[in-house]
Amino acid sequence: MLIEIPSTTDKKLTKLVKNINKDYERGNFKKFPKYLLDIIALLENNTSEANILLFILSILAEERPEDFTPSSIKTIFPFLQHNSIKERLNSIIIVGSYFLYRITDNLDIDLGEIASFLHLLEDPEGEIRQNISFFLEQFPETMDNQLLLELDLFLKVLSTETHIEVINAIEKILLRLQPKMSLSILCSYVSTLIQDYHDSKSPERSDTILKLLELEIPELKNRSKKKFNKKEIEKIIKERIPLIRLTDLNELADAEGLNVEKVEDYLTGNIDENKIYYFLYTEKNHKKMLEFEKQELQSFLAQEKLKIEEIIATFKHVGISHSSIVAVLLRDLLAKHIIEGVLSKKYFYSWNYLKNDLSQHLRRRGVLNYSQFESYLDKNVFHKIIESLATQTSFKGVFNSNKDQYFTFNAITKEIESIASKDNVVDLKIYRKKYGQESFYLLEDYCRKNFFTPYQSDHIWLTNLGKTRIQQVLHTCEQIGEFNLIERSKEMKIPEVILLRFTKEQFEHKNGFWNKDQSQFFYAKAIKKRINKIQMEPIAEKRNILIENLAEELQIEKEEIARKVDEKLHKLKEVLQNKEEFEIKPVIRDLQMDYKEFIAFVNDFEKPYLIVNNKIIFSPKKIQEEENNILNIILRDSKIKSQLSIEKIASRLRCADKIILSIIKKLIEDKNIDGVWIKEDKIFLTEKGIQNRMLESKTYIDMQSFIEEITPSEDDILLFEKILSTLLEKGALKGVYDSEMQIFQSTEVAGEANLIAERDRFKKEVTPLNNDLDRTYNILREIFMGKDLNPAAIDEYEQILEENIRKILNNQTFIKRLINNANHRLNRHISNQRPRRNQKGSKQRRHDENKSKRISFEEDEVVANIINDFENWKTLIIEIEQKAGQIVFLKKKLKNNPEDPDSKTALNGILEYIGFID
């Protein structure tokens, strides 16, 4: 019995199954196509029995797939996506059996249906994927071209699959497809496999990927034997040889029924030569094509020296076995400039190897002899490599006259450098014959850039040391007042022509002049002194002799002496006043002036100028730019700093105080910044500084006194009130401002307007002032009671007294203001509790009549004592200031005459009066 009788109420189906079983047992299959059509018809009309019907069809498909037609399969196909897993599995058996039959018998098949069938490998149900893979494994090689189109699908499934049956099926198909891939497809395929291996956490998947990769990377075949770990395997993969394809064009042409030329044209026409290098050659009357991964091939051959045998061994797995093929291959690569190097009978020397080899020789010895390399290097290649190396500074150098030796400048110039480090000049002419004219000029140019100054004559060069020594000599000569070229040339062993060329440049901007034959230079300052001295000679005859002697010495007419002295100064003036700006210090030095003389000299230009950053600027545009720059800096500072100090800003920006002051005043006038001067024209307290003072005071701000350094004007008070208002709006301060009293109190303080609170506040403000006076008194006592009142001690006490008397006067005003404010608050607090009229016009009476009396805060016992302490200290400090001169006078008298009784009595009386002694 082929099919068990199904449990169904459909009598027609039951009868149909019985007939199928009966004919099957008799071996009579003529009616099977009709039976199949009848079941298909039932399936189309009775989906409720679909599972039974598909089960029957799956058995028939396995036994008689030839009875199924394309139209019957189209009826089955929708059930591949059915909700029921059983129906889907039966449908897979039917369709898979149908496909295998038709593929095996070379019958037509719908390739789109094949593709849809294979894409069930991505189905979430493992059973579905397993059944699809069962049929996939059985697809014959005739389907490989179609399967290659699904390569991305197989790789995607392999990267995520967990069922070993599916993985094995994919592996089997890919092992079959891989040799048939073109090199461009293979490159992408291998890259995907490598990434999947890196990401894989499944041993089964990893093993499958490595089996696939070892076809292209032979070194992986030893992985099990050598027990490589994953890190070692990935290192082998990273260092892999280039991917290769070897195609026998004759065999391919015979298989496809084409001539070899057409096959060649087709294959080469589809190669991307940016990624793939191909090479055609003939072996045993067969035309063959080698394809390589271009970039990897370049990397492989860019290694060190490679034996030809090693290259053959590397490519042996694809069928390359003759050195002649490798030699022709390498020559083709060199001719096409895909690689660089040199090919000998046994070796390929990469360009990198040759450069490294020659560079090591140069680094060790500083010289290369062609004879060391002529066995494998052409002389032109030898020169080319050296030219390439010479682009690096350490290998710059020259050939000898025969061009068979190369010397680095570092090697040649050790001797030159040694001479240049101790002598003023170096003569290079001795090197001309050894290296030839062309190389000599290269050597000279190298030395000029590295060891010498630009000054030379007949290949004799001034060294940097020589230049420094000349500058030192010129500094000495400036003090003397003249420079003698001939004497200095002999003394320094520097040719006159070199010394003259250098010093003429140095004197170009110096105030002075050369004599007629340019053998001496005279500094104007020294000549002016001599002229002044001559002019002071009262005897005319003697004066004329001195003038004639000076004229003879200077080699100019005596009438021209004064004009010559000033001539250079006028020239310098013309040069300077036409400049937009110049540095002050070097010009002062060249003019031989002090700063005061220089400013007078510049004022004589009668041009507006600005001094900033040690420069004088004449350009109106630059003056405006600098002033705008300074203005912006000050404006920025005003936003972030509490104070603007004229002196500090001027020092920082290196310009005059008056410029800074002028700019700040302009900013104030233009209302770009707000604030108050706390030290007139010296220190400006910014709006931020005022805010910070208010935030420091926090609970109690008296607009008249919270900035101790000043007595504010009405405009100042308006500014303070505006700033206070902003702080209140932002919530930085919380409280009440009395505009009549010009006092702010925090919310806490405003609710404490009583005598105890006022007393505590007064004590807190004034006690530190008294303590400060106490400390000042003790410091003064220590100074005056010292053994000797020297000038330093006198300066110290005078400064202390001056500062503290000024503070006392300010504090006295401050204390009065504190008392007045306290009285105002206390009496306002009382007045708020006085009788008020009610709605009927009658008066409310307070319980305690005494509280309605006016309070005098200064009469409070505690307050009065604090005030009294302040007054006592004030009186005492003022007395010390008045008696200080007498104390100094008496102490000096006693120092000269310690036993003077009158002075001793007078001094003790004063010291006892001011409390310095008991």
Side-chain angles (χ1 to χ4, degrees):
M1 184 170 62
L2 178 63
I3 305 168
E4 289 186 14
I5 306 299
S7 301
T8 177
T9 57
D10 190 334
K11 293 179 180 180
K12 186 178 179 181
L13 177 59
T14 303
K15 184 180 178 181
L16 184 59
V17 171
K18 286 179 180 179
N19 289 335
I20 292 169
N21 285 333
K22 191 184 293 184
D23 283 351
Y24 179 77
E25 288 171 1
R26 291 175 182 170
N28 182 11
F29 300 110
K30 288 181 181 179
K31 293 182 180 179
F32 267 63
K34 183 180 180 307
Y35 295 150
L36 181 65
L37 290 173
D38 291 341
I39 296 170
I40 292 292
L42 287 172
L43 183 63
E44 289 174 341
N45 298 315
N46 187 7
T47 54
S48 62
E49 298 288 355
N51 187 41
I52 294 172
L53 294 168
L54 288 168
F55 171 70
I56 294 168
L57 287 170
S58 70
I59 294 172
L60 292 174
E62 288 179 311
E63 286 293 324
R64 300 279 302 170
E66 63 269 26
D67 293 334
F68 284 79
T69 64
S71 61
S72 62
I73 290 300
K74 286 190 186 300
T75 304
I76 304 300
F77 233 85
F79 289 98
L80 292 172
Q81 303 295 338
H82 205 272
N83 294 331
S84 168
I85 187 72
K86 289 182 179 180
E87 293 174 8
R88 296 183 71 198
L89 289 172
N90 285 325
S91 300
I92 288 169
I93 293 168
I94 297 164
V95 175
S97 300
Y98 166 78
F99 283 155
L100 285 177
Y101 164 72
R102 292 189 74 85
I103 293 166
T104 305
D105 279 19
N106 290 322
L107 299 173
D108 290 340
I109 193 164
D110 188 329
L111 296 179
E113 288 181 347
I114 288 278
S116 299
F117 182 74
L118 291 176
H119 274 267
L120 288 172
L121 285 168
E122 297 181 277
D123 197 273
E125 289 291 342
E127 271 191 274
I128 299 294
R129 302 197 303 276
Q130 285 173 309
N131 276 270
I132 295 293
S133 66
F134 169 78
F135 288 101
L136 173 63
E137 275 189 284
Q138 298 180 66
F139 277 19
E141 288 190 29
T142 54
M143 281 295 291
D144 284 356
N145 287 340
Q146 177 66 23
L147 293 178
L148 269 172
L149 297 175
E150 303 299 334
L151 184 59
D152 288 344
L153 168 67
F154 299 145
L155 289 171
K156 184 179 178 184
V157 172
L158 180 61
S159 68
T160 56
E161 187 54 66
T162 55
H163 287 80
I164 189 66
E165 298 87 353
V166 182
I167 292 173
N168 288 340
I170 298 290
E171 176 190 323
K172 183 178 177 181
I173 292 299
L174 289 176
L175 284 171
R176 203 170 80 201
L177 297 178
Q178 197 165 316
K180 299 176 182 179
M181 294 176 193
S182 69
L183 187 58
S184 58
I185 292 173
L186 183 68
C187 291
S188 174
Y189 165 80
V190 167
S191 177
T192 302
L193 288 178
I194 291 170
Q195 186 59 49
D196 286 347
Y197 176 72
H198 178 76
D199 297 338
S200 175
K201 301 291 187 294
S202 162
E204 293 83 5
R205 186 184 303 116
S206 296
D207 192 52
T208 291
I209 292 170
L210 291 175
K211 284 178 185 175
L212 298 170
L213 286 174
E214 70 183 25
L215 292 181
E216 312 304 331
I217 310 173
E219 295 93 328
L220 291 175
K221 291 178 181 178
N222 298 321
R223 66 184 186 282
S224 300
K225 186 178 178 181
K226 295 189 177 181
K227 297 180 180 179
F228 291 144
N229 59 34
K230 187 165 184 173
K231 190 174 180 181
E232 290 169 323
I233 289 170
E234 288 191 321
K235 185 175 184 292
I236 291 170
I237 291 171
K238 187 178 179 182
E239 296 171 356
R240 68 180 174 82
I241 61 171
L243 297 177
I244 313 168
R245 276 287 173 267
L246 176 61
T247 307
D248 189 317
L249 301 185
N250 289 76
E251 287 182 3
L252 187 58
D254 292 343
E256 298 294 333
L258 300 169
N259 63 46
V260 175
E261 288 73 19
K262 283 193 175 181
V263 172
E264 180 185 331
D265 290 344
Y266 175 77
L267 292 178
T268 56
N270 288 292
I271 291 174
D272 181 355
E273 293 190 43
N274 291 320
K275 296 179 180 178
I276 306 295
Y277 161 75
Y278 71 91
F279 170 66
L280 295 163
Y281 68 97
T282 302
E283 184 181 36
K284 295 180 182 179
N285 295 323
H286 272 230
K287 197 163 192 179
K288 297 183 179 181
M289 182 170 76
L290 265 174
E291 293 176 89
F292 290 89
E293 211 177 354
K294 191 172 185 177
Q295 189 173 347
E296 295 296 330
L297 179 63
Q298 288 170 320
S299 299
F300 172 71
L301 294 173
Q303 299 176 56
E304 301 298 305
K305 180 171 67 173
L306 286 170
K307 280 186 177 181
I308 301 300
E309 291 176 0
E310 288 176 7
I311 299 173
I312 293 170
T314 302
F315 298 152
K316 191 176 181 180
H317 68 288
V318 295
I320 299 174
S321 56
H322 297 294
S323 60
S324 60
I325 295 172
V326 172
V328 174
L329 167 69
L330 291 171
R331 288 193 193 100
D332 187 62
L333 286 164
L334 289 167
K336 291 177 178 175
H337 304 292
I338 294 170
I339 59 171
E340 286 188 289
V342 172
L343 179 64
S344 70
K345 287 182 179 180
K346 292 185 178 181
Y347 291 95
F348 173 71
Y349 303 90
S350 73
W351 188 257
N352 288 339
Y353 169 79
L354 293 170
K355 279 183 69 174
N356 289 336
D357 189 31
L358 268 65
S359 67
Q360 285 174 18
H361 278 79
L362 272 179
R363 199 173 279 114
R364 286 195 300 268
R365 302 185 182 90
V367 60
L368 282 176
N369 292 305
Y370 176 63
S371 57
Q372 295 173 270
F373 309 97
E374 63 183 345
S375 60
Y376 63 91
L377 269 188
D378 178 78
K379 199 169 187 180
N380 290 331
V381 176
F382 176 71
H383 289 162
K384 187 178 177 183
I385 295 170
I386 290 174
E387 284 171 14
S388 175
L389 289 173
T391 59
Q392 301 174 40
T393 304
S394 58
F395 295 134
K396 286 185 183 297
V398 291
F399 285 98
N400 65 354
S401 53
N402 295 326
K403 299 282 187 179
D404 58 1
Q405 281 186 306
Y406 181 80
F407 303 86
T408 64
F409 285 135
N410 288 341
I412 301 170
T413 56
K414 281 181 181 176
E415 179 186 7
I416 297 171
E417 190 175 0
S418 175
I419 297 169
S421 67
K422 54 190 179 184
D423 290 353
N424 294 333
V425 292
V426 175
D427 190 344
L428 291 181
K429 288 193 290 292
I430 58 172
Y431 298 97
R432 184 187 291 169
K433 186 176 179 182
K434 182 176 182 180
Y435 299 109
Q437 192 72 14
E438 184 182 345
S439 292
F440 171 73
Y441 286 136
L442 289 172
L443 171 63
E444 186 172 43
D445 187 58
Y446 177 83
C447 292
R448 176 184 62 80
K449 291 175 181 175
N450 292 277
F451 310 121
F452 303 148
T453 66
Y455 306 95
Q456 64 91 24
S457 174
D458 192 26
H459 307 294
I460 300 172
W461 288 84
L462 177 67
T463 64
N464 287 301
L465 176 64
K467 177 182 173 181
T468 302
R469 285 172 173 169
I470 294 172
Q471 288 169 333
Q472 290 171 346
V473 166
L474 292 181
H475 183 71
T476 303
C477 290
E478 189 170 348
Q479 310 308 311
I480 298 168
E482 66 176 80
F483 166 75
N484 190 304
L485 178 72
I486 298 167
E487 288 179 5
R488 297 299 179 180
S489 172
K490 290 177 182 176
E491 177 188 311
M492 303 183 76
K493 297 179 181 178
I494 299 173
E496 287 181 21
V497 64
I498 295 176
L499 189 56
L500 177 61
R501 193 174 299 160
F502 178 76
T503 52
K504 280 189 79 172
E505 286 184 16
Q506 298 297 303
F507 293 143
E508 183 69 29
H509 301 291
K510 291 286 183 184
N511 192 10
F513 54 89
W514 289 93
N515 63 3
K516 283 181 181 178
D517 62 6
Q518 293 191 327
S519 62
Q520 282 183 288
F521 181 85
F522 300 96
Y523 292 86
K525 193 172 184 179
I527 299 300
K528 278 185 177 180
K529 283 182 180 178
R530 289 178 67 178
I531 290 171
N532 291 337
K533 189 175 180 182
I534 290 170
Q535 287 172 342
M536 291 173 67
E537 172 59 51
I539 303 169
E541 287 181 12
K542 204 170 184 180
R543 191 164 60 244
N544 285 333
I545 292 169
L546 291 171
I547 290 172
E548 285 171 2
N549 290 340
L550 180 59
E552 187 180 345
E553 184 182 340
L554 301 179
Q555 296 181 5
I556 59 174
E557 299 296 328
K558 62 180 182 180
E559 291 79 10
E560 290 287 306
I561 292 176
R563 185 191 63 77
K564 199 75 175 175
V565 169
D566 293 329
E567 184 178 47
K568 189 61 176 284
L569 187 61
H570 291 310
K571 284 183 180 178
L572 290 172
K573 179 180 177 181
E574 287 174 12
V575 171
L576 292 174
Q577 67 183 0
N578 288 321
K579 287 188 174 185
E580 290 192 344
E581 62 178 56
F582 59 81
E583 295 280 346
I584 294 173
K585 286 184 179 177
V587 171
I588 285 179
R589 189 168 58 248
D590 288 345
L591 293 173
Q592 302 162 59
M593 294 179 176
D594 58 30
Y595 190 79
K596 189 175 179 182
E597 287 176 313
F598 170 72
I599 293 299
F601 173 69
V602 173
N603 287 336
D604 194 41
F605 293 2
E606 295 182 352
K607 288 177 67 174
Y609 64 88
L610 175 70
I611 297 178
V612 63
N613 291 329
N614 292 322
K615 283 183 180 179
I616 283 197
I617 300 172
F618 292 116
S619 164
K621 183 181 176 184
K622 287 197 173 184
I623 290 174
Q624 187 61 51
E625 285 174 359
E626 285 292 343
E627 287 183 343
N628 287 340
N629 184 41
I630 294 169
L631 183 144
N632 288 328
I633 290 170
I634 293 171
L635 190 58
R636 186 189 65 216
D637 284 357
S638 73
K639 305 297 181 190
I640 60 174
K641 293 187 176 180
S642 294
Q643 293 183 359
L644 299 177
S645 166
I646 304 296
E647 185 181 347
K648 288 181 180 178
I649 296 172
S651 174
R652 190 174 96 219
L653 301 180
R654 293 190 292 177
C655 65
D657 289 11
K658 63 181 181 181
I659 293 173
I660 303 301
L661 179 60
S662 170
I663 289 172
I664 290 178
K665 285 187 174 181
K666 186 177 186 306
L667 286 168
I668 296 168
E669 184 183 335
D670 294 344
K671 302 192 181 301
N672 286 319
I673 60 173
D674 275 331
V676 292
W677 289 100
I678 55 175
K679 193 170 183 182
E680 190 174 359
D681 292 349
K682 297 288 184 184
I683 299 175
F684 183 77
L685 187 68
T686 64
E687 185 173 351
K688 185 173 181 64
I690 296 168
Q691 283 184 353
N692 290 340
R693 295 277 185 109
M694 287 182 174
L695 291 171
E696 286 168 10
S697 300
K698 198 172 183 179
T699 58
Y700 179 81
I701 303 169
D702 183 342
M703 295 298 178
Q704 293 290 340
S705 62
F706 82 99
I707 298 177
E708 297 173 3
E709 297 93 333
I710 64 167
T711 300
S713 66
E714 287 184 12
D715 288 341
D716 293 340
I717 297 294
L718 288 173
L719 174 62
F720 298 162
E721 289 176 339
K722 174 187 164 188
I723 294 169
L724 177 64
S725 176
T726 302
L727 292 173
L728 289 169
E729 285 173 13
K730 289 180 178 178
L733 290 176
K734 293 181 180 179
V736 178
Y737 177 63
D738 186 331
S739 58
E740 184 183 340
M741 294 299 296
Q742 297 176 339
I743 290 171
F744 165 81
Q745 297 177 89
S746 69
T747 306
E748 297 83 11
V749 172
E752 295 175 356
N754 55 62
L755 183 59
I756 295 170
E758 292 295 341
R759 183 189 295 147
D760 289 344
R761 189 176 297 114
F762 185 82
K763 187 176 180 181
K764 183 180 177 182
E765 294 283 355
V766 180
T767 301
L769 305 180
N770 289 340
N771 292 340
D772 191 38
L773 291 172
D774 187 2
R775 281 192 296 274
T776 299
Y777 174 80
N778 287 322
I779 292 169
L780 290 169
R781 183 177 183 280
E782 190 176 329
I783 293 169
F784 282 111
M785 294 302 291
K787 288 183 179 180
D788 186 21
L789 275 174
N790 56 36
I794 293 170
D795 288 343
E796 185 181 3
Y797 85 68
E798 285 178 346
Q799 185 178 350
I800 291 170
L801 284 169
E802 183 183 346
E803 286 178 1
N804 278 274
I805 288 171
R806 188 173 64 251
K807 279 185 182 178
I808 286 169
L809 297 175
N810 289 335
N811 291 341
Q812 194 168 11
T813 304
F814 175 61
I815 291 168
K816 284 180 182 178
R817 192 178 297 123
L818 288 175
I819 293 167
N820 291 337
N821 291 339
N823 278 326
H824 174 78
R825 284 190 295 273
L826 289 169
N827 288 302
R828 183 179 61 181
H829 183 67
I830 292 167
S831 66
N832 288 339
Q833 300 178 42
R834 287 177 181 168
R836 297 176 183 233
R837 293 190 178 274
N838 59 19
Q839 290 177 347
K840 296 180 180 179
S842 61
K843 289 187 176 180
Q844 296 177 341
R845 298 189 178 275
R846 295 179 54 189
H847 300 294
D848 190 353
E849 293 294 334
N850 291 328
K851 285 187 179 179
S852 64
K853 293 179 181 178
R854 190 166 187 83
I855 293 175
S856 292
F857 180 63
E858 63 271 28
E859 294 176 3
D860 176 78
E861 184 177 353
V862 174
V863 174
N865 286 337
I866 295 171
I867 295 170
N868 190 49
D869 285 346
F870 176 79
E871 291 295 330
N872 288 339
W873 281 120
K874 180 186 80 171
T875 303
L876 193 54
I877 297 297
I878 290 171
E879 286 291 341
I880 292 170
E881 194 265 342
Q882 291 173 351
K883 303 290 184 185
Q886 290 177 267
I887 295 171
V888 172
F889 173 73
L890 291 169
K891 281 215 162 200
K892 283 183 177 178
K893 283 187 73 176
L894 285 168
K895 186 178 179 181
N896 296 327
N897 184 9
E899 303 304 323
D900 181 355
D902 294 338
S903 296
K904 192 180 287 186
T905 302
L907 178 61
N908 287 338
I910 294 169
L911 295 176
E912 188 176 337
Y913 176 74
I914 57 179
F916 283 177
I917 59 174
D918 296 330

